[in-house]
């Protein structure tokens, strides 16, 4: 039951709560099924894919070395994202096939108009949290 207890923590680490619309992009045979199941259980529904016309609260982007231009991908992802939504770029941990250097994420985020706020370990993957910068409040 240790694996289930660890998996139960994934959605919590990602800030996924009941009722959130979560979009999943970049799924492949190597993605973490425990993480995926935990996110769907926590949100209370299946994750939507790139065909959705819904506004999404969070995006899980499975990203590997060789998947293309991350900045371009991030710019496309932003359109259905809620103003306070988050993008999690999930990359294989160091030493694993497809590992992405953290500097690639750090350089791609600002190009897409995003800010990286944190990085967390999620089993064999690393999650980098990206958000849209808050607009400065208007003063009267």
């Amino acid at each position: 039951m240790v694996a289930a207890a660890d998996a139960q923590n994934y959605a919590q680490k990602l800030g996924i709560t009941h009722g959130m619309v979560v979009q999943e992009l970049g799924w492949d045979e190597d993605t973490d099924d425990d993480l995926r199941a935990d996110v769907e259980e926590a949100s209370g529904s299946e994750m939507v894919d790139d065909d959705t016309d819904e506004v999404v609260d969070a995006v899980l982007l499975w990203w590997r070395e060789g998947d293309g231009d991350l900045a371009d991908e991030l710019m496309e992802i932003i359109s259905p994202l809620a103003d306070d939504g988050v993008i999690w770029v999930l990359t294989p941990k160091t030493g694993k096939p497809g590992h992405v250097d953290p500097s690639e994420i750090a350089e791609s985020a600002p190009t897409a108009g995003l800010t990286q706020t944190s990085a967390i370990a999620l089993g064999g993957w690393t999650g980098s949290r990206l958000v849209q910068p808050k607009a400065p409040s208007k003063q009267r």
Side-chain angles (χ1 to χ4, degrees):
M1 273 314 232
V2 173
D6 287 346
Q8 198 58 23
N9 208 8
Y10 289 150
Q12 187 177 19
K13 284 183 172 185
L14 294 168
I16 306 298
T17 56
H18 189 77
M20 288 179 83
V21 176
V22 182
Q23 183 178 43
E24 179 183 42
L25 303 169
W27 180 91
D28 206 342
E29 297 295 321
D30 62 347
T31 56
D32 187 322
D33 288 335
D34 289 337
L35 188 151
R36 297 178 73 245
D38 188 47
V39 166
E40 290 184 341
E41 185 178 325
S43 69
S45 62
E46 290 185 7
M47 290 185 276
V48 298
D49 60 19
D50 57 354
D51 293 342
T52 190
D53 55 1
E54 291 185 67
V55 172
V56 298
D57 301 301
V59 175
L60 299 186
L61 172 62
W62 301 95
W63 193 259
R64 301 150 201 87
E65 184 65 43
D67 277 354
D69 187 313
L70 181 57
D72 286 346
E73 183 70 19
L74 291 172
M75 285 189 264
E76 286 184 31
I77 292 172
I78 291 174
S79 23
L81 191 65
D83 290 342
D84 59 350
V86 301
I87 296 172
W88 283 99
V89 180
L90 305 173
T91 57
K93 279 193 169 172
T94 304
K96 300 261 186 195
H99 170 71
V100 175
D101 193 280
S103 67
E104 182 178 339
I105 298 167
E107 292 167 10
S108 298
T111 303
L114 297 164
T115 303
Q116 183 173 352
T117 60
S118 60
I120 58 173
L122 299 162
W125 293 79
T126 299
S128 299
R129 185 177 186 268
L130 307 179
V131 298
Q132 299 174 82
K134 300 282 183 238
S137 57
K138 294 178 181 171
Q139 297 191 352
R140 295 181 177 197

